[in-house]
Amino acid sequence: QVQLVESGGGLVQAGGSLRLSCTASESIFSINAMGWYRQAPGKQRDLVAGITRELRTNYADSVKGRFTISRDNAKNTVYLQMNSLKPEDTAVYYCAAGRIHIAIPNYWGQGTQVTVSS
């Protein structure tokens, strides 16, 4: 069972930046897809960004050009750099790992709150 621990959430003003980190309890080299989902109050959990073992990335349209996902297999860590944050980015952000595809996560982190004030 892979455990994922997120960090880096917090409160930031609109236009600001945050970097989220997700560290796995074991090597992520064998895990094809890592990514980040988010869930705002009263809404469904949606995929924000994903990255494969080959470093192919995909992003939700709402964050393209503002967010960047990266992974460091040597550190078992995935990052989400979030720039030009907007109030609508406010949500709980969850790290996820999918052995086959990020759309089918096998493991979840506990979530970290990101709040963007206007």
Side-chain angles (χ1 to χ4, degrees), residues 46-94:
D46 291 323
L47 179 63
V48 175
I51 185 167
T52 69
R53 189 168 45 219
E54 294 76 22
L55 304 183
R56 289 191 299 269
T57 60
N58 63 287
Y59 297 92
D61 288 342
S62 59
V63 306
K64 283 180 180 177
R66 300 188 298 121
F67 290 11
T68 302
I69 188 170
S70 60
R71 67 190 280 174
D72 185 336
N73 290 338
K75 295 183 178 180
N76 300 329
T77 300
V78 177
Y79 305 96
L80 186 67
Q81 178 66 43
M82 305 185 294
N83 298 327
S84 302
L85 282 161
K86 305 175 180 179
E88 51 263 44
D89 294 318
T90 296
V92 177
Y93 284 70
Y94 295 90

CSV table of all heavy atoms in Angstrom, one decimal, residues 46-94:
chain,number,residue,atom,x,y,z
A,46,ASP,N,-12.1,16.8,-9.2
A,46,ASP,CA,-11.7,16.8,-10.6
A,46,ASP,C,-10.2,16.7,-10.7
A,46,ASP,O,-9.4,17.3,-9.9
A,46,ASP,CB,-12.2,18.1,-11.3
A,46,ASP,CG,-13.7,18.2,-11.4
A,46,ASP,OD1,-14.3,17.2,-11.7
A,46,ASP,OD2,-14.2,19.3,-11.2
A,47,LEU,N,-9.7,16.2,-11.8
A,47,LEU,CA,-8.3,16.1,-12.1
A,47,LEU,C,-7.8,17.5,-12.5
A,47,LEU,O,-8.4,18.1,-13.4
A,47,LEU,CB,-8.1,15.1,-13.3
A,47,LEU,CG,-6.6,15.0,-13.7
A,47,LEU,CD1,-5.8,14.4,-12.6
A,47,LEU,CD2,-6.5,14.1,-15.0
A,48,VAL,N,-6.7,17.9,-11.9
A,48,VAL,CA,-6.1,19.2,-12.2
A,48,VAL,C,-4.9,19.0,-13.2
A,48,VAL,O,-4.8,19.7,-14.1
A,48,VAL,CB,-5.6,19.8,-10.9
A,48,VAL,CG1,-4.8,21.1,-11.2
A,48,VAL,CG2,-6.8,20.1,-10.0
A,49,ALA,N,-4.0,18.0,-12.8
A,49,ALA,CA,-2.8,17.8,-13.6
A,49,ALA,C,-2.3,16.4,-13.4
A,49,ALA,O,-2.5,15.8,-12.3
A,49,ALA,CB,-1.8,18.8,-13.3
A,50,GLY,N,-1.7,15.8,-14.4
A,50,GLY,CA,-1.2,14.5,-14.3
A,50,GLY,C,0.2,14.4,-15.0
A,50,GLY,O,0.5,15.2,-15.9
A,51,ILE,N,1.0,13.5,-14.6
A,51,ILE,CA,2.3,13.3,-15.2
A,51,ILE,C,2.7,11.8,-15.2
A,51,ILE,O,2.5,11.1,-14.2
A,51,ILE,CB,3.4,14.1,-14.5
A,51,ILE,CG1,4.8,14.0,-15.2
A,51,ILE,CG2,3.5,13.7,-13.0
A,51,ILE,CD1,5.8,15.1,-14.7
A,52,THR,N,3.1,11.3,-16.3
A,52,THR,CA,3.5,9.9,-16.5
A,52,THR,C,5.0,9.7,-16.1
A,52,THR,O,5.7,10.6,-15.9
A,52,THR,CB,3.2,9.4,-17.9
A,52,THR,OG1,4.2,10.0,-18.8
A,52,THR,CG2,1.8,9.7,-18.3
A,53,ARG,N,5.3,8.4,-16.1
A,53,ARG,CA,6.7,8.1,-15.8
A,53,ARG,C,7.6,8.6,-16.9
A,53,ARG,O,8.8,8.9,-16.6
A,53,ARG,CB,6.8,6.5,-15.7
A,53,ARG,CG,8.1,6.0,-15.2
A,53,ARG,CD,8.0,4.5,-14.9
A,53,ARG,NE,7.3,3.8,-16.0
A,53,ARG,CZ,6.4,2.8,-15.7
A,53,ARG,NH1,6.1,2.5,-14.5
A,53,ARG,NH2,5.8,2.2,-16.7
A,54,GLU,N,7.1,8.7,-18.1
A,54,GLU,CA,7.8,9.3,-19.2
A,54,GLU,C,7.8,10.8,-19.3
A,54,GLU,O,8.2,11.4,-20.2
A,54,GLU,CB,7.3,8.7,-20.6
A,54,GLU,CG,7.5,7.2,-20.7
A,54,GLU,CD,6.6,6.4,-19.9
A,54,GLU,OE1,5.5,6.9,-19.6
A,54,GLU,OE2,6.9,5.2,-19.6
A,55,LEU,N,7.2,11.4,-18.2
A,55,LEU,CA,7.1,12.9,-18.1
A,55,LEU,C,6.2,13.5,-19.0
A,55,LEU,O,6.3,14.7,-19.3
A,55,LEU,CB,8.5,13.5,-18.1
A,55,LEU,CG,9.5,13.0,-17.1
A,55,LEU,CD1,10.8,13.7,-17.2
A,55,LEU,CD2,9.0,13.0,-15.7
A,56,ARG,N,5.2,12.8,-19.5
A,56,ARG,CA,4.1,13.4,-20.3
A,56,ARG,C,3.1,14.0,-19.3
A,56,ARG,O,2.8,13.4,-18.3
A,56,ARG,CB,3.4,12.4,-21.2
A,56,ARG,CG,4.3,11.9,-22.4
A,56,ARG,CD,3.4,11.1,-23.3
A,56,ARG,NE,2.8,9.9,-22.7
A,56,ARG,CZ,3.4,8.7,-22.7
A,56,ARG,NH1,4.6,8.5,-23.3
A,56,ARG,NH2,2.8,7.7,-22.2
A,57,THR,N,2.7,15.2,-19.6
A,57,THR,CA,1.8,15.9,-18.7
A,57,THR,C,0.5,16.2,-19.4
A,57,THR,O,0.4,16.3,-20.6
A,57,THR,CB,2.5,17.2,-18.2
A,57,THR,OG1,2.7,18.1,-19.4
A,57,THR,CG2,3.8,17.0,-17.5
A,58,ASN,N,-0.5,16.4,-18.5
A,58,ASN,CA,-1.8,16.9,-19.0
A,58,ASN,C,-2.4,17.8,-17.9
A,58,ASN,O,-2.1,17.6,-16.7
A,58,ASN,CB,-2.7,15.7,-19.4
A,58,ASN,CG,-3.1,14.9,-18.2
A,58,ASN,OD1,-2.3,14.1,-17.7
A,58,ASN,ND2,-4.3,15.0,-17.7
A,59,TYR,N,-3.2,18.7,-18.4
A,59,TYR,CA,-3.7,19.7,-17.4
A,59,TYR,C,-5.2,20.0,-17.7
A,59,TYR,O,-5.6,19.9,-18.9
A,59,TYR,CB,-3.0,21.1,-17.6
A,59,TYR,CG,-1.5,21.0,-17.2
A,59,TYR,CD1,-0.6,20.8,-18.2
A,59,TYR,CD2,-1.1,21.2,-15.9
A,59,TYR,CE1,0.8,20.7,-17.8
A,59,TYR,CE2,0.2,21.2,-15.5
A,59,TYR,CZ,1.1,20.9,-16.5
A,59,TYR,OH,2.5,20.9,-16.1
A,60,ALA,N,-6.0,20.3,-16.7
A,60,ALA,CA,-7.3,20.8,-16.9
A,60,ALA,C,-7.2,22.1,-17.6
A,60,ALA,O,-6.3,22.9,-17.4
A,60,ALA,CB,-8.0,21.0,-15.6
A,61,ASP,N,-8.2,22.4,-18.5
A,61,ASP,CA,-8.2,23.7,-19.2
A,61,ASP,C,-8.1,24.9,-18.3
A,61,ASP,O,-7.5,25.9,-18.6
A,61,ASP,CB,-9.4,23.8,-20.1
A,61,ASP,CG,-9.4,22.8,-21.3
A,61,ASP,OD1,-8.3,22.3,-21.6
A,61,ASP,OD2,-10.4,22.5,-21.9
A,62,SER,N,-8.7,24.8,-17.2
A,62,SER,CA,-8.8,25.9,-16.3
A,62,SER,C,-7.5,26.3,-15.6
A,62,SER,O,-7.3,27.4,-15.1
A,62,SER,CB,-9.8,25.6,-15.1
A,62,SER,OG,-9.4,24.5,-14.4
A,63,VAL,N,-6.5,25.4,-15.7
A,63,VAL,CA,-5.2,25.7,-15.1
A,63,VAL,C,-4.0,25.8,-16.1
A,63,VAL,O,-2.9,26.1,-15.7
A,63,VAL,CB,-4.8,24.7,-14.0
A,63,VAL,CG1,-6.0,24.6,-13.0
A,63,VAL,CG2,-4.5,23.3,-14.6
A,64,LYS,N,-4.3,25.5,-17.3
A,64,LYS,CA,-3.2,25.5,-18.3
A,64,LYS,C,-2.6,26.9,-18.4
A,64,LYS,O,-3.3,27.9,-18.4
A,64,LYS,CB,-3.8,25.2,-19.7
A,64,LYS,CG,-4.1,23.7,-19.9
A,64,LYS,CD,-4.6,23.4,-21.3
A,64,LYS,CE,-4.9,21.9,-21.5
A,64,LYS,NZ,-5.5,21.6,-22.8
A,65,GLY,N,-1.3,26.9,-18.4
A,65,GLY,CA,-0.5,28.1,-18.5
A,65,GLY,C,-0.2,28.7,-17.1
A,65,GLY,O,0.5,29.7,-17.0
A,66,ARG,N,-0.9,28.2,-16.1
A,66,ARG,CA,-0.7,28.7,-14.7
A,66,ARG,C,-0.1,27.7,-13.8
A,66,ARG,O,0.7,28.1,-12.9
A,66,ARG,CB,-2.0,29.2,-14.1
A,66,ARG,CG,-2.7,30.3,-14.9
A,66,ARG,CD,-4.0,30.8,-14.2
A,66,ARG,NE,-5.0,29.8,-14.0
A,66,ARG,CZ,-5.4,29.5,-12.8
A,66,ARG,NH1,-5.0,30.1,-11.7
A,66,ARG,NH2,-6.4,28.6,-12.7
A,67,PHE,N,-0.4,26.4,-14.0
A,67,PHE,CA,0.1,25.4,-13.1
A,67,PHE,C,1.1,24.5,-13.8
A,67,PHE,O,0.9,24.3,-15.1
A,67,PHE,CB,-1.1,24.5,-12.6
A,67,PHE,CG,-2.0,25.1,-11.7
A,67,PHE,CD1,-2.0,26.4,-11.4
A,67,PHE,CD2,-3.0,24.3,-11.0
A,67,PHE,CE1,-2.9,27.0,-10.5
A,67,PHE,CE2,-3.9,24.8,-10.1
A,67,PHE,CZ,-3.9,26.2,-9.9
A,68,THR,N,2.1,24.0,-13.1
A,68,THR,CA,3.0,23.1,-13.7
A,68,THR,C,3.3,21.9,-12.8
A,68,THR,O,3.5,22.1,-11.6
A,68,THR,CB,4.4,23.8,-13.9
A,68,THR,OG1,4.2,25.0,-14.7
A,68,THR,CG2,5.4,22.9,-14.6
A,69,ILE,N,3.1,20.7,-13.3
A,69,ILE,CA,3.4,19.5,-12.5
A,69,ILE,C,4.7,18.9,-12.9
A,69,ILE,O,5.2,19.0,-14.1
A,69,ILE,CB,2.2,18.5,-12.8
A,69,ILE,CG1,2.4,17.3,-11.8
A,69,ILE,CG2,2.2,18.0,-14.2
A,69,ILE,CD1,1.2,16.4,-11.8
A,70,SER,N,5.4,18.4,-11.9
A,70,SER,CA,6.7,17.8,-12.1
A,70,SER,C,6.8,16.6,-11.2
A,70,SER,O,6.1,16.5,-10.2
A,70,SER,CB,7.8,18.8,-12.0
A,70,SER,OG,7.8,19.3,-10.7
A,71,ARG,N,7.8,15.7,-11.5
A,71,ARG,CA,8.0,14.6,-10.6
A,71,ARG,C,9.5,14.3,-10.5
A,71,ARG,O,10.2,14.5,-11.4
A,71,ARG,CB,7.3,13.3,-11.0
A,71,ARG,CG,7.7,12.7,-12.3
A,71,ARG,CD,6.7,11.6,-12.7
A,71,ARG,NE,6.9,10.3,-12.0
A,71,ARG,CZ,6.1,9.3,-12.1
A,71,ARG,NH1,5.1,9.3,-12.9
A,71,ARG,NH2,6.4,8.2,-11.5
A,72,ASP,N,9.9,13.9,-9.3
A,72,ASP,CA,11.3,13.6,-9.0
A,72,ASP,C,11.3,12.2,-8.5
A,72,ASP,O,11.1,11.9,-7.3
A,72,ASP,CB,11.9,14.6,-8.0
A,72,ASP,CG,13.4,14.3,-7.8
A,72,ASP,OD1,13.9,13.2,-8.0
A,72,ASP,OD2,14.1,15.3,-7.4
A,73,ASN,N,11.6,11.2,-9.4
A,73,ASN,CA,11.5,9.8,-9.0
A,73,ASN,C,12.5,9.5,-7.9
A,73,ASN,O,12.3,8.6,-7.0
A,73,ASN,CB,11.7,8.9,-10.2
A,73,ASN,CG,10.5,8.9,-11.1
A,73,ASN,OD1,9.4,9.3,-10.8
A,73,ASN,ND2,10.8,8.6,-12.4
A,74,ALA,N,13.7,10.1,-7.9
A,74,ALA,CA,14.7,9.9,-6.9
A,74,ALA,C,14.3,10.2,-5.5
A,74,ALA,O,14.7,9.6,-4.5
A,74,ALA,CB,16.0,10.6,-7.3
A,75,LYS,N,13.4,11.2,-5.4
A,75,LYS,CA,12.9,11.7,-4.1
A,75,LYS,C,11.5,11.2,-3.9
A,75,LYS,O,10.9,11.5,-2.8
A,75,LYS,CB,12.9,13.2,-4.1
A,75,LYS,CG,14.3,13.8,-4.1
A,75,LYS,CD,14.2,15.4,-4.0
A,75,LYS,CE,15.6,16.0,-4.0
A,75,LYS,NZ,15.6,17.5,-3.9
A,76,ASN,N,10.9,10.4,-4.8
A,76,ASN,CA,9.6,9.8,-4.6
A,76,ASN,C,8.5,11.0,-4.4
A,76,ASN,O,7.6,10.8,-3.6
A,76,ASN,CB,9.5,8.9,-3.5
A,76,ASN,CG,10.4,7.7,-3.7
A,76,ASN,OD1,10.7,7.3,-4.8
A,76,ASN,ND2,10.9,7.2,-2.6
A,77,THR,N,8.7,12.1,-5.1
A,77,THR,CA,7.9,13.3,-4.9
A,77,THR,C,7.4,13.8,-6.2
A,77,THR,O,8.1,13.8,-7.2
A,77,THR,CB,8.8,14.3,-4.2
A,77,THR,OG1,9.2,13.8,-2.9
A,77,THR,CG2,8.0,15.6,-3.9
A,78,VAL,N,6.2,14.3,-6.1
A,78,VAL,CA,5.5,15.0,-7.2
A,78,VAL,C,5.2,16.4,-6.7
A,78,VAL,O,4.8,16.6,-5.5
A,78,VAL,CB,4.2,14.3,-7.6
A,78,VAL,CG1,3.5,15.1,-8.7
A,78,VAL,CG2,4.5,12.9,-8.1
A,79,TYR,N,5.3,17.4,-7.6
A,79,TYR,CA,5.1,18.8,-7.3
A,79,TYR,C,4.0,19.4,-8.1
A,79,TYR,O,3.8,19.0,-9.3
A,79,TYR,CB,6.4,19.6,-7.4
A,79,TYR,CG,7.6,19.1,-6.7
A,79,TYR,CD1,8.5,18.3,-7.3
A,79,TYR,CD2,7.8,19.4,-5.3
A,79,TYR,CE1,9.6,17.8,-6.6
A,79,TYR,CE2,8.9,18.9,-4.7
A,79,TYR,CZ,9.8,18.1,-5.3
A,79,TYR,OH,10.9,17.6,-4.6
A,80,LEU,N,3.4,20.4,-7.6
A,80,LEU,CA,2.4,21.2,-8.4
A,80,LEU,C,2.7,22.6,-8.1
A,80,LEU,O,2.4,23.1,-7.0
A,80,LEU,CB,1.0,20.9,-8.1
A,80,LEU,CG,-0.1,21.6,-8.9
A,80,LEU,CD1,0.0,21.1,-10.4
A,80,LEU,CD2,-1.5,21.4,-8.4
A,81,GLN,N,3.3,23.3,-9.1
A,81,GLN,CA,3.6,24.7,-8.9
A,81,GLN,C,2.4,25.5,-9.5
A,81,GLN,O,2.0,25.3,-10.6
A,81,GLN,CB,4.8,25.1,-9.7
A,81,GLN,CG,5.2,26.6,-9.7
A,81,GLN,CD,5.6,27.1,-8.4
A,81,GLN,OE1,6.4,26.4,-7.7
A,81,GLN,NE2,5.1,28.2,-7.9
A,82,MET,N,1.8,26.3,-8.6
A,82,MET,CA,0.6,27.0,-8.9
A,82,MET,C,0.9,28.5,-8.9
A,82,MET,O,1.2,29.1,-7.9
A,82,MET,CB,-0.5,26.7,-8.0
A,82,MET,CG,-0.8,25.2,-7.8
A,82,MET,SD,-2.2,24.8,-6.8
A,82,MET,CE,-1.6,25.4,-5.2
A,83,ASN,N,0.8,29.1,-10.1
A,83,ASN,CA,1.0,30.6,-10.2
A,83,ASN,C,-0.3,31.3,-10.6
A,83,ASN,O,-1.2,30.6,-11.1
A,83,ASN,CB,2.1,30.8,-11.3
A,83,ASN,CG,3.4,30.2,-10.9
A,83,ASN,OD1,3.8,30.2,-9.7
A,83,ASN,ND2,4.2,29.8,-11.9
A,84,SER,N,-0.3,32.6,-10.5
A,84,SER,CA,-1.5,33.4,-10.9
A,84,SER,C,-2.8,32.8,-10.3
A,84,SER,O,-3.7,32.7,-11.0
A,84,SER,CB,-1.5,33.5,-12.4
A,84,SER,OG,-0.4,34.1,-12.9
A,85,LEU,N,-2.7,32.5,-9.0
A,85,LEU,CA,-3.9,31.9,-8.4
A,85,LEU,C,-5.1,32.7,-8.4
A,85,LEU,O,-5.0,34.0,-8.3
A,85,LEU,CB,-3.5,31.4,-7.0
A,85,LEU,CG,-2.7,30.1,-6.9
A,85,LEU,CD1,-2.0,30.0,-5.6
A,85,LEU,CD2,-3.5,28.9,-7.2
A,86,LYS,N,-6.2,32.1,-8.6
A,86,LYS,CA,-7.5,32.8,-8.6
A,86,LYS,C,-8.4,32.3,-7.5
A,86,LYS,O,-8.2,31.1,-7.0
A,86,LYS,CB,-8.2,32.5,-9.9
A,86,LYS,CG,-7.4,32.9,-11.2
A,86,LYS,CD,-8.2,32.5,-12.4
A,86,LYS,CE,-7.4,32.8,-13.7
A,86,LYS,NZ,-8.1,32.4,-14.9
A,87,PRO,N,-9.4,33.1,-7.0
A,87,PRO,CA,-10.3,32.6,-6.0
A,87,PRO,C,-10.9,31.3,-6.3
A,87,PRO,O,-11.2,30.4,-5.4
A,87,PRO,CB,-11.3,33.7,-5.8
A,87,PRO,CG,-10.5,34.9,-6.2
A,87,PRO,CD,-9.6,34.5,-7.3
A,88,GLU,N,-11.2,31.0,-7.6
A,88,GLU,CA,-11.9,29.8,-8.0
A,88,GLU,C,-10.9,28.6,-7.9
A,88,GLU,O,-11.4,27.5,-8.1
A,88,GLU,CB,-12.4,29.9,-9.4
A,88,GLU,CG,-11.5,30.4,-10.4
A,88,GLU,CD,-11.7,31.9,-10.7
A,88,GLU,OE1,-11.8,32.7,-9.7
A,88,GLU,OE2,-11.6,32.4,-11.9
A,89,ASP,N,-9.7,28.8,-7.6
A,89,ASP,CA,-8.7,27.7,-7.4
A,89,ASP,C,-8.9,27.1,-6.0
A,89,ASP,O,-8.2,26.1,-5.6
A,89,ASP,CB,-7.3,28.1,-7.6
A,89,ASP,CG,-7.0,28.4,-9.1
A,89,ASP,OD1,-7.5,27.7,-10.0
A,89,ASP,OD2,-6.3,29.5,-9.3
A,90,THR,N,-9.6,27.8,-5.1
A,90,THR,CA,-9.8,27.4,-3.8
A,90,THR,C,-10.4,26.0,-3.7
A,90,THR,O,-11.5,25.8,-4.3
A,90,THR,CB,-10.7,28.4,-3.0
A,90,THR,OG1,-10.0,29.7,-2.9
A,90,THR,CG2,-11.0,27.9,-1.6
A,91,ALA,N,-9.8,25.1,-3.0
A,91,ALA,CA,-10.2,23.7,-2.9
A,91,ALA,C,-9.3,22.9,-2.0
A,91,ALA,O,-8.2,23.4,-1.6
A,91,ALA,CB,-10.3,23.1,-4.3
A,92,VAL,N,-9.7,21.7,-1.7
A,92,VAL,CA,-8.8,20.7,-1.2
A,92,VAL,C,-8.1,20.0,-2.3
A,92,VAL,O,-8.8,19.5,-3.2
A,92,VAL,CB,-9.5,19.7,-0.2
A,92,VAL,CG1,-8.5,18.7,0.3
A,92,VAL,CG2,-10.2,20.4,0.9
A,93,TYR,N,-6.8,20.0,-2.3
A,93,TYR,CA,-6.0,19.4,-3.3
A,93,TYR,C,-5.5,18.0,-2.9
A,93,TYR,O,-4.9,17.9,-1.8
A,93,TYR,CB,-4.8,20.3,-3.7
A,93,TYR,CG,-5.3,21.5,-4.6
A,93,TYR,CD1,-6.0,22.5,-4.1
A,93,TYR,CD2,-4.9,21.5,-5.9
A,93,TYR,CE1,-6.4,23.6,-4.8
A,93,TYR,CE2,-5.3,22.6,-6.7
A,93,TYR,CZ,-6.1,23.6,-6.2
A,93,TYR,OH,-6.5,24.6,-7.0
A,94,TYR,N,-5.7,17.0,-3.7
A,94,TYR,CA,-5.4,15.6,-3.4
A,94,TYR,C,-4.3,15.1,-4.3
A,94,TYR,O,-4.5,15.2,-5.6
A,94,TYR,CB,-6.6,14.7,-3.4
A,94,TYR,CG,-7.7,15.0,-2.4
A,94,TYR,CD1,-8.7,15.9,-2.7
A,94,TYR,CD2,-7.7,14.4,-1.2
A,94,TYR,CE1,-9.7,16.2,-1.8
A,94,TYR,CE2,-8.7,14.7,-0.3
A,94,TYR,CZ,-9.7,15.6,-0.6
A,94,TYR,OH,-10.7,15.9,0.3
